[in-house]
Structures are given as C-alpha cells and as structure tokens.
Amino acid sequence: MTRRPIIAGNWKMHNLVSDSIALVQEIMNKLSDENINDLPTIVVAPVYTSLYSVNETINKCGCGKIKLGAQNCYFEEKGAFTGEESTQMLKDVGCEYIIIGHSERRGYFNESDEMINKKAKAILNNGLIPIICCGESLEQRENNETDTHIASQIKAALNGLTNEEIEKSVIAYEPIWAIGTGKTCDAIEANRTIKEIRKTIAQISNENTAQAVRILYGGSVKPETIKEQMAQSDIDGALVGGASLKAQSFVDIVLGAKK
Ligand code: PEP
C-alpha cells in the first residue's frame, strides 16, 4: 500500500497578510526546481485573514505544489454563529484541507470529541479533507494511558464516517508534550503509536482502510528529525508548527520527506 506523504505547516496565530504572502512565496521559490511528482503533498495553514491572499499567491504560480489549509472550522453551514467560519466558506477561499482537533483547540477552547466528529463530517460533506489531530498529555503517557486515550479520540472523531470517508481523512498523531517544546517523540515510539491508531481504525472499518489512511506525526518536527521519522513504516509525513514559519526549515522538512 503506497501512501503519498504529506507535510503540513500549521502557522498558528502568526503572520499578517503581507508576512503570509512573503512566506508562501519564499517556499515556492525554493521549491521551483523540484518536480511535483517527487514531492510530498504540501499544505500550508495560515490564519483566516491570510487565506484569500495566500490562495491567490499559490494560484499565480499555477504549479500546484502547495495546497491551502485552514486551522479550524465550524460544522454548521451558516447562521448566527458569531466569529465562526463554515467549511463552505473555507472552500470558497481555496482551502482543500482543514486541521481539526488540535490540542490547542481542545485545551484552550474546550473542543470536545463530539464537536470534532461533527466538523470532520462537515468537511468531508463539502469535499474537503480533514486533518484530525489526536495525542496524549505527559500525564497520560506517564500513567500508561496513551493507547487507550488515543483510541477513544480516534473512535469518537471517526464515528459514523464511511470507510471511504475514513480513507480520505488524514490523522495527525501529536503528543501534547512534544508540541512547541523542542522535545520530539522518539521515532520508533511514534511509529508504534501510529500502528496502534491503524489497529483502532481497522476495528471500526477494515484492514484495507486502516492501511490506506495517511497518519502524520506532529510535535517539534525539525529538518534534523524528519528523515528518521519518514524512515518508519507507518509515519506518512508531518504536521509542523514552529519550523513551518521559516521558509528554509519548512522546505528542508519537505525535501527530507521525499520518499
Ligand atoms: C503543531 O502545532 O501542530 C505542532 C506540531 O507544533 P510544533 O511543530 O511547533 O511542535
């Protein structure tokens, strides 16, 4: 089963419009000599206010090397939901991917598994691809609760999806203690956890579906770590925070993920 790798940059709450345009432009310049077929799928997820302009910048080059992602969405189509954006609205500005269930959203904004499941359904219903984050806290890891916690997050997030929808979805395994801390999860351990995620997916769908889903690792990924991560059997790419904010480090990660 070949799974095309994905490198997704989560820019979090950084960059004004002009900074976002400059960053994506620099990334594209640095990749201009690369053949698209050799590259992983590349996604950048700027703040909402930069989506339109980053999309225009990506489209101007017309090379199709960079896909646009959003960092969140709401599951309703429209209505009195002040401050929220629907999947249709994000599609309208060019998004193809939407990150959901990031631990920062679960933690700071109290997002529940149920909400994440509703968002996954809304994203897939609009023909977009959810990047569904899961991951354990340090306390859960120390209490040997990693696998049970992640299995319950995955079962909840994928609840009610068809096998086809599950196959289209992307999962990002992001141990919370590794996000933004500089501490990367050991690649062999990350691979073991990701294999557990595949087992959970097989239980709720089937083995073929579990083998087809792309599962990323996220948590302090850097140019120096990506090769070892990509050498693992079940790691299909990375969700990158801090290192995606500098064109050179992001491009080094992208090039390090070439299979
Ligand atoms: C993230 O925000 O998803 C992330 C993995 O951040 P960082 O790479 O900075 O740890």
Side-chain angles (χ1 to χ4, degrees):
M1 172 74 59
T2 43
R3 299 181 295 259
R4 184 166 184 199
I6 303 184
I7 299 294
N10 172 14
W11 294 359
K12 308 197 188 194
M13 200 174 76
H14 291 288
N15 290 341
L16 302 180
V17 174
S18 57
D19 305 318
S20 303
I21 294 171
L23 177 55
V24 79
Q25 189 63 65
E26 201 182 340
I27 293 168
M28 289 193 302
N29 291 348
K30 287 181 189 294
L31 293 173
S32 60
D33 291 338
E34 297 291 326
N35 183 329
I36 188 168
N37 297 318
D38 299 333
L39 292 171
T41 299
I42 306 167
V43 181
V44 295
V47 288
Y48 288 135
T49 47
S50 292
L51 286 171
Y52 183 85
S53 310
V54 169
N55 188 46
E56 282 205 320
T57 313
I58 292 169
N59 287 342
K60 253 185 240 153
C61 125
C63 59
K65 285 179 190 163
I66 310 232
K67 309 283 183 197
L68 191 66
Q71 299 174 19
N72 183 31
C73 66
Y74 197 55
F75 48 80
E76 297 288 353
E77 258 178 46
K78 59 182 169 189
F81 304 104
T82 303
E84 295 294 318
E85 279 79 20
S86 74
T87 58
Q88 267 181 331
M89 290 160 187
L90 296 169
K91 189 176 180 176
D92 191 40
V93 289
C95 289
E96 293 180 59
Y97 292 79
I98 304 182
I99 300 168
I100 51 171
H102 193 282
S103 59
E104 287 154 16
R105 297 231 40 104
R106 291 180 191 257
Y108 298 137
F109 303 100
N110 296 321
E111 292 202 1
S112 64
D113 283 330
E114 194 192 353
M115 277 172 87
I116 292 155
N117 176 245
K118 285 185 181 170
K119 291 181 183 195
K121 286 176 177 159
I123 293 166
L124 287 157
N125 284 342
N126 266 298
L128 306 181
I129 300 176
I131 300 179
I132 304 167
C133 302
C134 62
E136 81 287 0
S137 64
L138 186 58
E139 195 186 354
Q140 286 166 326
R141 177 156 283 272
E142 287 172 349
N143 291 337
N144 282 328
E145 290 164 5
T146 298
D147 294 353
T148 47
H149 174 68
I150 293 171
S152 89
Q153 284 185 321
I154 292 292
K155 282 182 190 160
L158 303 180
N159 185 32
L161 301 192
T162 64
N163 292 349
E164 207 191 355
E165 287 173 330
I166 294 175
E167 259 187 50
K168 276 188 207 147
S169 304
V170 175
I171 309 289
Y173 166 56
E174 299 208 302
I176 298 170
W177 49 271
I179 297 178
T181 58
K183 283 186 215 154
T184 316
C185 180
D186 174 72
I188 293 171
E189 172 56 17
N191 196 51
R192 186 203 66 78
T193 311
I194 288 176
K195 279 187 175 189
E196 287 296 316
I197 295 175
R198 284 197 206 286
K199 277 192 208 158
T200 303
I201 296 174
Q203 280 167 20
I204 56 175
S205 57
N206 59 47
E207 189 56 33
N208 281 349
T209 302
Q211 288 305 320
V213 179
R214 287 174 299 170
I215 309 184
L216 316 181
Y217 166 76
S220 298
V221 172
K222 308 175 208 51
E224 309 86 71
T225 65
I226 189 69
K227 282 220 156 68
E228 193 191 0
Q229 285 151 348
M230 293 307 291
Q232 306 302 315
S233 60
D234 285 70
I235 299 182
D236 302 322
L239 181 54
V240 187
S244 71
L245 291 168
K246 292 268 178 295
Q248 192 60 58
S249 53
F250 187 63
V251 165
D252 287 344
I253 291 169
V254 166
L255 297 180
K258 277 164 92 174
K259 284 261 177 176

